[in-house]
């Protein structure tokens, strides 16, 4: 085909790419697809916008970013050898260690450059590498935003605007021949600073204090402040151009001089190879799986307890959204965990769709209908549901208790806890776990170092002038929270990744559930009753047994075995739920492996005998009792003063309190009242009837546009190619073109008769034509079409621009032109 012309613009470089390469660009930078560009030129323009370039830079690893930073301080364009020299150094200070680093850089540089080319941050052949202009502006040095390399401006940039007389003084002080041409003077000074031999001779004459000043500036920042009467070392450097003025009080070390002092290196420590994740401990893989399974079971029990806690209606929602600090403390006390861990469990249940707002006027949190379905699943399926929801969630419980950008407190279940980077960080941390041998616990510090290498602008710095509002350590904090949350959830055990978690990441929930099932203890159908009014559950209980026992007794302690304590209040709670004393005796006898202790039987009978002796209804509220002495005792008790009771009849008291408050107050006084309906029937209180309407789990907040699938990428590439064909097609010159000065890129103009004749001829010959078209909204466009049929004032044609068959009204076609022979392909 002949020699290939080097691209002159980014658009030409993209146009020369194959379809796979364009698809790779759109996959790596999906923001370029929103919306699909009309042609290659528009794609190149969009790829050079500031927001898109910043997003692309944030996804580079450290060495690819260092390569881009080196190009930003290199000449534009820069040969490949110049770029490599900026990363490896000029070789004059090499030792054995530097030789090894140089070899690693040389080996890694082609891959880093390929990444930058694929993402359209660098274009051009190896002898003329160009960094896109926006990236150069972001990474190049300036007084407001120093370069990440720590280098300052070039001599030419720093001396712009300097008087010829001052330039002559610098040339004289350095022993260079005088010249009246400022350009020649700047070039001579630049040549001096880039000549290692002459530069070494100049620095040999420098005072020791002047060399100390250069040492402080050489690795950045290159700017320093001076007084109107500088010290002799600073004056010596300024007189010889080694410090050039930026303002009346600021000087800068020019780039060429700094590179000499750095032995030609743009970075102090290039990092071509990702740091290895070190092992902190080696553990038995089976012990890891057992520990993780035990923690997974604890996680399930904790979430079940949370659902039970809020079963009858949870805490109210703050006006600004979320959970109050008092309610979080209450939940933490009930779950017997710290507040940060309670926030994690609450957020996990919310993210899994098990908790939501009920939508009532006094809006509260409550379990969802999905929570009942979740409780009916097997233990291993319940765990995979929680683990899968945690992996995908952008909710970040670790932020609870902190403050937002405006200084407002961040609350659990609040609206400001989404961080779009969280799922990516979680999966990446677990992937680094998975790269280690089974049973190996990684060292946290080396793991964080690896994450910072992979996304340095996300976890270890901010590109100049990007306007980042989040702390530079967010990615590191997310990683640390991931380590803690994974241990709580049973993803890891004793600091190492479990085999069930590996299966979840590699094969999916079903495989993970199959791995976990043998490790989860089977639920028991019995307890051990003891004479001190306690019951010991030696393991997990079957759900009906656990639910009934949780109503009849209070949990006293948890662990490998759960201890329940029977109290008058807990027995009364069971009676309030509709159980009779005989039912409770039968339940305990059926599920205890030990005889029912006599004190427990006496407790049940005693509470049942007094239960319902007092009746409370709504007057506002009243107390009814057949025994006048009991009512007299209540009236005489000082604790009843706040209830504002008065006697309506010998066996009836009235109160201005509501029935619920009256019930609780009399129970606190040691009575055993029962609520009754307007008909006088005892009201049975059944635990947990409040559910929200059906709710979907909170949708994760995506981190930028989603990565397109192969089908969308293929369609987008075809559309861009077709649009580019329409925009760059070569058409035959018409008589109108020859006789007028039609501007380039304008729509073709022909008469209606010429338009009809041309498209009819194209339909007969099967050739393509170039048309101008104005749609119903008045938007004008250029298209390449292959007419198939012309009738009734319409032309039906295959539109190469849209890659589909369309029908166009002839009266909306502004003109038509045939394609040149060399423009058809």
């Amino acid at each position: 085909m002949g020699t290939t012309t080097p691209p002159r613009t980014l658009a030409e470089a993209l146009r020369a790419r194959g379809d796979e390469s364009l698809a790779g660009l759109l996959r790596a930078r999906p923001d370029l697809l929103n919306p699909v560009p009309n042609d290659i030129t528009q794609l190149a323009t969009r790829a050079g916008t500031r927001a898109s370039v910043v997003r692309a830079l944030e996804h580079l690893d450290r060495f690819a970013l260092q390569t881009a930073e080196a190009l930003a301080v290199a000449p534009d364009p820069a040969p490949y050898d110049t770029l490599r020299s900026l990363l490896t150094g000029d070789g004059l200070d090499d030792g054995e260690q530097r030789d090894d680093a140089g070899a690693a850089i040389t080996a890694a540089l082609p891959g880093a450059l390929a990444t930058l080319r694929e993402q359209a941050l660098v274009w051009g052949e190896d002898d003329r590498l160009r960094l896109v202009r926006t990236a150069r502006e972001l990474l190049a040095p300036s007084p407001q935003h120093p370069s990440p390399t720590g280098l300052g401006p070039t001599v030419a940039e720093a001396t712009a605007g300097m008087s010829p007389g001052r330039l002559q003084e610098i040339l004289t002080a350095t022993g260079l021949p005088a010249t009246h041409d400022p350009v020649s003077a700047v070039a001579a000074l630049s040549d001096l600073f880039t000549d290692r031999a002459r530069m070494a001779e100049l620095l040999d004459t420098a005072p020791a204090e002047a060399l100390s000043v250069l040492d402080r500036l050489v690795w950045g920042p290159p700017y320093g402040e001076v007084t109107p009467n500088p010290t002799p070392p600073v004056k010596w450097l300024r007189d010889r151009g080694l410090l050039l003025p930026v303002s009346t009080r600021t000087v800068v070390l020019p780039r060429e001089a700094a590179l000499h002092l750095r032995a030609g290196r743009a970075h102090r420590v290039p990092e071509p190879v990702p740091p290895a994740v070190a092992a902190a401990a080696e553990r038995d893989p089976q012990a890891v799986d057992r520990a993780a399974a035990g923690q997974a079971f604890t996680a399930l029990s904790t979430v079940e307890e949370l659902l039970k806690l809020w079963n009858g209606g949870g805490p109210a929602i703050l006006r600004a959204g979320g959970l109050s600090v008092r309610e979080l403390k209450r939940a933490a006390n009930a779950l017997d965990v710290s507040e940060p861990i309670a926030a994690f469990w609450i957020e996990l249940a919310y993210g899994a769709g098990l908790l939501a707002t009920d939508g009532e006027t006094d809006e509260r949190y409550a379990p969802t209908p999905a929570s009942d379905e979740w409780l009916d699943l097997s233990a291993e399926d319940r765990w995979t549901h929680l683990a899968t929801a945690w992996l995908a969630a952008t909710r970040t419980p670790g932020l609870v208790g902190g403050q937002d950008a405006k200084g407002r407190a961040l609350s659990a279940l609040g609206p400001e806890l989404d961080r779009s980077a969280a799922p990516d960080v979680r999966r990446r941390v677990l992937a680094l776990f998975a790269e280690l041998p089974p049973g190996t616990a990684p060292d946290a510090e080396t793991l964080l170092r690896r994450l910072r290498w992979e996304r340095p602008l996300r976890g270890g710095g901010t590109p100049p002038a990007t306007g980042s509002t989040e702390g530079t350590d967010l990615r590191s904090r997310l990683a640390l929270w991931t380590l803690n949350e994974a241990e709580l959830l049973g993803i890891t055990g004793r600091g190492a990744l479990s085999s069930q978690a590996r299966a979840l990441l590699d094969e999916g929930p079903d495989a993970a559930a199959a791995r976990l099932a043998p490790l989860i203890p089977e639920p028991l159908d019995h307890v051990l009753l003891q004479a001190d009014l306690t019951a010991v559950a030696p393991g997990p209980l079957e759900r009906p047994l656990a639910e009934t026992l949780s109503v009849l007794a209070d949990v006293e302690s948890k662990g490998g075995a759960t201890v329940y304590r029977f109290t008058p209040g807990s027995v009364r709670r069971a009676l309030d739920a509709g159980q009779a004393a005989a039912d409770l005796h039968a339940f305990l006898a059926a599920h205890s492996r030990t005889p029912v202790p006599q004190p427990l039987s006496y407790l049940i009978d005693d509470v049942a005998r007094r239960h319902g002796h007092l009746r409370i209804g709504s007057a506002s509220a009243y107390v009814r009792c057949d025994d006048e002495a009991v009512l007299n005792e209540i009236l005489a008790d000082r604790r009843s003063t706040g209830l504002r009771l008065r006697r309506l009849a010998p066996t009836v008291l009235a109160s201005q309190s509501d029935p619920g408050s009256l019930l609780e107050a009399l129970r606190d006084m040691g009575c055993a009242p029962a609520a009754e309906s307007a008909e006088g029937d005892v009201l049975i209180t059944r635990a947990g009837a409040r559910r929200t309407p059906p709710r979907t789990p909170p949708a994760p907040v995506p981190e930028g546009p989603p990565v397109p699938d192969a089908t969308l990428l293929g369609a987008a590439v075809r559309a861009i190619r077709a649009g580019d064909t329409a925009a760059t097609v070569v058409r035959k010159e018409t008589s109108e073109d020859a006789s007028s000065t039609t501007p380039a890129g304008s729509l073709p103009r022909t008469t209606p008769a010429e338009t009809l004749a041309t498209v009819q001829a194209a339909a007969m010959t099967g050739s393509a034509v170039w048309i101008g078209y104005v749609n119903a909204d008045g938007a004008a466009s250029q298209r390449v079409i292959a007419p198939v049929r012309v009738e009734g004032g319409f032309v039906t044609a295959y539109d190469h621009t849209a890659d589909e068959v369309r029908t166009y009204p002839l009266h909306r076609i502004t003109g038509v032109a045939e394609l040149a022979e060399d423009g058809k392909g």
Side-chain angles (χ1 to χ4, degrees):
M1 297 292 294
T3 58
T4 303
T5 304
R8 296 168 297 175
T9 63
L10 176 60
E12 290 187 4
L14 294 179
R15 192 169 287 120
R17 289 189 179 191
D19 288 352
E20 277 297 321
S21 179
L22 276 184
L25 167 63
L26 298 176
R27 187 183 300 108
R29 298 175 63 177
D31 58 293
L32 301 179
L33 272 178
N34 190 21
V36 176
N38 292 332
D39 51 38
I40 295 290
T41 301
Q42 190 176 92
L43 175 64
T45 302
R46 194 176 296 173
T49 58
R50 187 181 188 85
S52 183
V53 170
V54 167
R55 191 177 292 113
L57 290 174
E58 287 179 342
H59 285 81
L60 295 178
D61 63 48
R62 187 174 297 280
F63 187 62
L65 183 63
Q66 286 182 331
T67 303
E69 291 166 352
L71 274 174
V73 297
D76 187 28
Y80 181 87
D81 291 341
T82 300
L83 172 62
R84 182 178 56 194
S85 177
L86 283 170
L87 291 168
T88 61
D90 55 21
L92 298 182
D93 68 338
D94 283 358
E96 183 176 346
Q97 185 174 3
R98 179 61 61 185
D99 287 340
D100 294 340
I105 292 170
T106 301
L109 183 56
L113 199 56
T115 298
L116 295 174
R117 278 191 170 121
E118 179 187 357
Q119 299 198 25
L121 294 171
V122 169
W123 58 278
E125 302 297 329
D126 280 357
D127 58 340
R128 294 179 61 83
L129 295 172
R130 292 183 181 272
L131 188 67
V132 294
R133 180 168 53 87
T134 308
R136 179 175 287 273
E137 291 172 355
L138 287 168
L139 299 174
S142 69
Q144 295 76 23
H145 305 290
S147 167
T149 61
L151 292 169
T154 62
V155 171
E157 294 167 345
T159 57
M162 183 179 287
S163 66
R166 177 68 185 120
L167 284 172
Q168 295 303 317
E169 293 175 0
I170 294 175
L171 293 179
T172 302
T174 54
L176 295 174
T179 176
H180 296 290
D181 180 13
V183 176
S184 300
V186 169
L189 195 59
S190 299
D191 291 341
L192 170 64
F193 291 163
T194 53
D195 188 317
R196 287 198 65 90
R198 289 193 295 159
M199 187 66 171
E201 293 176 1
L202 176 62
L203 293 177
D204 286 343
T205 64
E209 295 83 355
L211 296 178
S212 298
V213 172
L214 293 178
D215 287 341
R216 291 197 296 271
L217 299 178
V218 64
W219 290 108
Y223 297 92
E225 292 189 1
V226 295
T227 61
N229 296 312
T231 60
V234 173
K235 187 175 185 302
W236 189 93
L237 294 170
R238 192 179 64 178
D239 290 345
R240 286 155 182 79
L242 292 170
L243 292 180
L244 294 172
V246 176
S247 65
T248 55
R249 298 182 60 85
T250 305
V251 293
V252 65
L253 176 66
R255 186 183 306 171
E256 293 88 344
L259 285 173
H260 171 83
L261 296 169
R262 296 179 177 196
R265 297 194 302 275
H267 299 87
R268 176 178 287 188
V269 183
E271 298 182 58
V273 179
V277 177
E282 299 285 344
R283 311 192 191 282
D284 178 16
Q286 293 183 350
V288 168
D289 291 347
R290 289 193 298 269
Q295 190 55 46
F297 183 78
T298 301
L300 297 178
S301 301
T302 306
V303 174
E304 290 172 14
E305 190 170 349
L306 175 64
L307 295 175
K308 190 182 304 179
L309 178 66
W310 291 359
N311 204 24
I317 300 175
L318 294 174
R319 182 179 303 175
L323 202 62
S324 68
V325 175
R326 181 178 62 184
E327 293 293 350
L328 179 60
K329 288 181 179 179
R330 184 175 299 172
N333 290 334
L335 299 176
D336 194 24
V337 296
S338 65
E339 291 172 35
I341 293 179
F344 167 69
W345 295 122
I346 291 170
E347 285 287 346
L348 177 64
Y350 177 69
L354 308 181
L355 291 175
T357 57
D358 59 13
E360 301 293 336
T361 303
D362 58 335
E363 199 167 17
R364 293 178 175 274
Y365 293 103
T368 64
S371 67
D372 296 318
E373 299 175 4
W374 179 78
L375 288 170
D376 290 335
L377 297 173
S378 63
E380 56 270 20
D381 288 333
R382 277 181 283 149
W383 180 80
T384 57
H385 180 86
L386 293 180
T388 303
W390 173 74
L391 282 173
T394 55
R395 305 281 303 174
T396 311
L399 294 171
V400 173
Q403 293 184 336
D404 63 10
K406 297 182 179 179
R408 296 173 298 193
L410 296 172
S411 58
L413 300 178
E416 303 295 333
L417 294 185
D418 283 293
R419 295 296 181 272
S420 57
D424 176 65
V425 172
R426 290 192 192 109
R427 287 194 171 274
R428 188 58 196 141
V429 167
L430 296 183
L432 291 175
F433 269 81
E435 291 177 3
L436 298 173
T440 302
D443 174 67
E445 185 55 41
T446 58
L447 187 143
L448 291 178
R449 194 176 302 127
R450 174 64 170 269
L451 289 175
R452 295 189 192 106
W453 186 91
E454 292 178 349
R455 293 287 187 274
L457 294 186
R458 286 294 180 91
T462 303
T466 61
S468 175
T469 58
E470 192 77 51
T472 57
D473 63 340
L474 174 64
R475 192 174 173 87
S476 297
R477 287 190 295 154
L478 287 172
L480 292 174
W481 291 332
T482 297
L483 296 178
N484 296 331
E485 293 169 4
E487 194 75 17
L488 285 172
L489 191 52
I491 298 286
T492 58
R494 302 181 66 188
L497 191 67
S498 65
S499 63
Q500 51 266 30
R502 290 177 186 269
L504 179 67
L505 295 173
D506 298 336
E507 304 172 53
D510 293 340
R515 291 284 185 91
L516 181 62
L519 303 174
I520 294 288
E522 288 292 330
L524 305 176
D525 62 352
H526 65 273
V527 295
L528 305 176
L529 295 178
Q530 303 187 99
D532 60 349
L533 297 181
T534 61
V536 177
L541 298 178
E542 292 179 346
R543 186 181 171 194
L545 173 58
E547 289 180 348
T548 303
L549 193 60
S550 66
V551 175
L552 180 57
D554 298 322
V555 175
E556 188 170 79
S557 65
K558 301 175 185 176
T562 304
V563 178
Y564 295 86
R565 178 164 294 279
F566 299 95
T567 65
S570 67
V571 174
R572 186 184 63 242
R573 187 169 63 230
L575 295 173
D576 287 343
Q579 298 284 343
D583 298 331
L584 299 181
H585 287 302
F587 169 78
L588 293 174
H591 293 94
S592 176
R593 286 289 177 89
T594 57
V596 178
Q598 194 175 50
L600 180 56
S601 298
Y602 286 166
L603 174 65
I604 294 173
D605 291 338
D606 184 56
V607 174
R609 184 171 57 255
R610 294 185 295 114
H611 182 262
H613 196 48
L614 290 175
R615 299 294 183 88
I616 294 177
S618 54
S620 291
Y622 63 83
V623 182
R624 181 170 65 84
C625 183
D626 295 334
D627 189 346
E628 296 182 31
V630 174
L631 297 184
N632 291 335
E633 183 181 342
I634 292 173
L635 286 172
D637 196 318
R638 290 183 178 181
R639 291 175 292 178
S640 68
T641 304
L643 300 177
R644 303 174 68 181
L645 295 169
R646 62 189 179 89
R647 191 184 293 273
L648 296 181
T651 59
V652 180
L653 300 179
S655 172
Q656 294 187 15
S657 300
D658 63 90
S661 301
L662 188 56
L663 271 170
E664 292 299 324
L666 291 181
R667 285 171 178 168
D668 291 341
M669 292 167 60
C671 301
E676 70 177 14
S677 67
E679 290 77 21
D681 299 323
V682 175
L683 292 176
I684 296 175
T685 305
R686 298 196 182 275
R690 187 158 185 170
R691 289 292 181 270
T692 70
R695 300 282 195 226
T696 57
V701 177
E703 186 180 18
V707 178
D709 57 25
T711 302
L712 178 57
L713 284 175
V717 170
R718 288 194 300 272
I720 293 171
R721 291 286 192 202
D724 202 54
T725 300
T728 60
V729 68
V730 181
R731 60 188 178 91
K732 290 183 179 179
E733 183 177 314
T734 64
S735 58
E736 181 182 344
D737 294 331
S739 60
S740 63
T741 56
T742 303
S746 61
L747 297 180
R749 300 286 179 180
T750 56
T751 65
E754 290 174 333
T755 298
L756 179 60
T758 305
V759 296
Q760 285 178 335
M764 294 176 62
T765 60
S767 58
V769 293
W770 179 64
I771 67 170
Y773 182 73
V774 179
N775 64 15
D777 296 326
S781 61
Q782 305 177 37
R783 299 176 179 274
V784 174
I785 65 172
V788 177
R789 184 173 62 253
V790 182
E791 61 182 10
F794 292 88
V795 54
T796 301
Y798 174 76
D799 189 330
H800 289 271
T801 309
D803 195 24
E804 64 182 8
V805 176
R806 289 185 175 181
T807 300
Y808 297 99
L810 283 170
H811 69 275
R812 293 193 177 278
I813 297 177
T814 64
V816 61
E818 298 179 24
L819 302 184
E821 291 300 323
D822 59 350
K824 289 182 180 181

